[in-house]
């Protein structure tokens, strides 16, 4: 018996009957030989952790664009916080931690530079729209490893695709990530907003504080415990009506007070114009300079696999904030002349 088989046997004996076992996975689109050490979902987690798209998250905006400080969240730190919260919950519920972590680490791979501002611009410009959850799946299926993709299991891809509140993941592990995402970003964004002096703790409505608590630790403790208590011995991940409503009210409060706050979003207009300008420039000039866009994107378009607007969206959405600024300067800012002597 291999180490992997021993791990799978232990999981089958100790995890909840509702846990998603790797040995029962629906598998990958392309068949592969099994690893002798790692179960399927653990391999998926490792593939996401080591891919280029994951590394770029550290330089992508979460909420505050180009903040002056080292302690504001980036898309990477948000992703890690989602993973930590989700792992705490699934460990208590005896669900599959490897599957949960893989979904959590991969759920935001498709985010654009400058956060949701960049996503909204591409959604307006690309035929068929642009949604970061769908782009995350596109990355792991088609774009990573120079077009090979990561060949992840169907369960991981389902969790990544369906992490939005309006969607419903097929596995309980995916459902945990879906809620953990909201818990993580609401609490982190409150912390960053207080740091930026946009919010004060007492600005949060009293009814919400009465239900969830007055501090980040209190809120996290309340939300995590509520999910665990109401999801035990159930195939569905649930919250109590009172706590769920308080979370939704807190989310609504953040949209009104922070996510549309002119101070927090003062630079977004510039970022959106930058993304739109890059998109139009690439659409008009993609074939005039072979170094303008990486060859792999243009090849996908020219062989007929993809539409031009989609491959340009692939390229732009993969950029970090600073790389997008650099490319904008290259495309639109005059270059200084080199003068030899006098």
């Amino acid at each position: 018996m291999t180490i992997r088989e021993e791990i799978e046997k232990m999981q089958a004996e100790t995890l909840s009957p509702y846990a998603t076992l790797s040995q029962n996975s629906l598998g990958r689109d392309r068949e592969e030989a099994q690893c002798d050490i790692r179960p399927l979902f653990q391999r998926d987690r490792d593939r996401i952790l080591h891919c280029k798209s994951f590394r770029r998250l550290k330089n992508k905006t979460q909420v505050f664009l180009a903040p002056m400080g080292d302690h504001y969240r980036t898309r990477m730190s948000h992703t890690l916080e989602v993973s930590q919260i989700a792992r705490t919950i699934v460990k208590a519920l005896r669900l599959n931690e490897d599957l949960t972590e893989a979904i959590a680490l991969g759920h935001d791979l498709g985010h654009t530079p400058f956060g949701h501002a960049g996503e909204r611009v591409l959604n307006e410009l690309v035929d068929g729209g642009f949604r970061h959850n769908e782009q995350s799946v596109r990355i792991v299926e088609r774009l990573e490893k120079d077009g090979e993709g990561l060949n992840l299991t169907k369960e991981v891809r389902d969790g990544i695709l369906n992490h939005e509140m309006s969607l419903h993941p097929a596995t309980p592990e995916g459902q945990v990530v879906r809620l953990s995402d909201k818990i993580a970003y609401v609490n982190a964004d409150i912390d960053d907003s207080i740091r930026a002096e946009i919010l004060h703790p007492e600005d949060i409505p009293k009814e919400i504080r009465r239900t969830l608590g007055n501090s980040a630790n209190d809120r996290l403790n309340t939300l995590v415990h509520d999910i665990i208590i109401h999801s035990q011995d159930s195939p569905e991940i649930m919250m109590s009506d009172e706590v769920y409503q308080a979370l939704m009210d807190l989310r609504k409060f953040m949209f009104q007070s922070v996510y549309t706050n002119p101070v927090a979003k003062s630079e977004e207009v510039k970022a959106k114009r930058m993304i739109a300008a890059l998109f139009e420039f690439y659409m008009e000039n993609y074939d005039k300079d072979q170094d303008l866009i990486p060859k792999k994107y243009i090849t996908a378009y020219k062989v007929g696999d993809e539409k031009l607007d989609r491959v340009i969206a692939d390229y732009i959405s993969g950029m970090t904030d600073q790389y997008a600024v650099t490319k904008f300067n290259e495309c639109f800012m005059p270059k200084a002349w080199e003068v030899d002597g006098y």
Side-chain angles (χ1 to χ4, degrees):
M1 181 179 290
T2 65
I3 293 175
R4 170 184 55 80
E5 290 170 331
E6 290 177 356
I7 293 173
E8 291 174 342
K9 182 175 182 293
M10 178 185 66
Q11 290 178 339
E13 293 173 348
T14 60
L15 293 185
S16 163
Y18 303 111
T20 308
L21 302 178
S22 60
Q23 65 197 64
N24 296 333
S25 170
L26 297 175
R28 311 181 187 280
D29 286 349
R30 301 189 303 275
E31 288 295 325
E32 297 180 13
Q34 285 266 39
C35 177
D36 62 336
I37 297 175
R38 295 169 299 164
L40 286 176
F41 300 141
Q42 185 180 346
R43 292 184 77 187
D44 283 0
R45 187 274 314 272
D46 295 348
R47 290 179 184 187
I48 292 169
L49 188 64
H50 291 287
C51 76
K52 292 179 180 177
S53 299
F54 182 80
R55 294 198 292 276
R56 290 197 296 267
L57 294 177
K58 72 181 188 303
N59 291 317
K60 290 192 176 189
T61 292
Q62 173 63 16
V63 170
F64 289 89
L65 192 153
M68 296 298 291
D70 294 331
H71 300 126
Y72 290 90
R73 268 74 170 188
T74 65
R75 192 61 59 178
M76 170 75 81
S77 52
H78 162 72
T79 295
L80 296 177
E81 289 173 354
V82 172
S83 177
Q84 180 271 320
I85 292 169
R87 287 170 55 212
T88 296
I89 294 170
V90 298
K91 187 171 288 188
L93 295 175
R94 293 187 298 117
L95 299 175
N96 193 310
E97 195 171 348
D98 291 334
L99 173 57
T100 303
E101 191 171 14
I103 295 170
L105 294 180
H107 82 282
D108 269 356
L109 293 178
H111 255 295
T112 63
F114 312 119
H116 287 285
E119 180 178 10
R120 286 191 289 270
V121 173
L122 291 181
N123 189 47
E124 295 172 358
L125 295 173
V126 178
D127 184 28
F130 181 96
R131 288 161 285 276
H132 78 272
N133 58 317
E134 296 174 0
Q135 187 68 13
S136 296
V137 174
R138 182 171 168 80
I139 284 171
V140 300
E141 287 185 345
R142 305 194 63 169
L143 300 181
E144 269 292 340
K145 297 183 68 175
D146 294 324
E148 291 184 15
L150 301 181
N151 198 28
L152 304 181
T153 56
K154 291 180 172 61
E155 290 82 1
V156 172
R157 285 178 287 153
D158 170 84
I160 291 173
L161 177 64
N162 293 301
H163 76 270
E164 294 288 281
M165 285 301 287
S166 60
L167 304 173
H168 190 78
T171 65
E173 291 83 0
Q175 295 170 37
V176 169
V177 173
R178 173 178 167 272
L179 285 175
S180 299
D181 180 37
K182 310 308 170 285
I183 293 170
Y185 77 63
V186 167
N187 281 285
D189 296 346
I190 289 172
D191 185 45
D192 284 350
S193 300
I194 292 171
R195 179 174 293 107
E197 299 184 348
I198 291 172
L199 276 185
H200 296 283
E202 61 269 20
D203 292 336
I204 300 172
K206 290 181 180 179
E207 316 85 75
I208 297 175
R209 283 186 278 149
R210 191 177 300 114
T211 301
L212 299 183
N214 290 307
S215 68
N217 286 342
D218 289 342
R219 288 190 297 271
L220 286 169
N221 188 61
T222 298
L223 290 161
V224 168
H225 275 78
D226 189 80
I227 292 173
I228 292 170
I229 291 169
H230 290 87
S231 303
Q232 289 180 332
D233 303 318
S234 172
E236 294 291 322
I237 304 303
M238 299 175 289
M239 301 176 72
S240 66
D241 292 342
E242 179 186 17
V243 170
Y244 180 78
Q245 187 58 53
L247 176 61
M248 292 301 101
D249 289 344
L250 182 57
R251 187 166 173 260
K252 181 178 179 180
F253 165 77
M254 290 298 290
F255 270 97
Q256 295 171 341
S257 304
V258 176
Y259 302 146
T260 57
N261 186 297
V263 176
K265 300 300 181 180
S266 58
E267 297 293 286
E268 272 196 3
V269 172
K270 300 175 187 177
K272 291 168 73 173
R273 288 175 178 169
M274 187 184 304
I275 295 294
L278 281 173
F279 183 89
E280 296 299 335
F281 184 83
Y282 290 143
M283 287 288 289
E284 295 172 2
N285 297 282
Y286 74 94
D287 58 346
K288 297 176 183 177
D289 181 352
Q290 62 179 3
D291 296 323
L292 187 64
I293 301 175
K295 184 178 179 181
K296 61 183 179 180
Y297 296 104
I298 300 305
T299 299
Y301 165 64
K302 289 186 174 180
V303 299
D305 289 346
E306 304 287 357
K307 293 182 178 180
L308 180 60
D309 61 344
R310 183 61 62 181
V311 299
I312 290 175
D314 288 338
Y315 180 43
I316 293 176
S317 66
M319 295 178 178
T320 62
D321 294 8
Q322 186 55 54
Y323 189 75
V325 172
T326 299
K327 288 300 165 182
F328 180 85
N329 288 335
E330 289 178 3
C331 294
F332 295 102
M333 299 301 290
K335 294 181 175 62
W337 288 92
E338 293 183 9
V339 180
D340 186 12
Y342 295 97

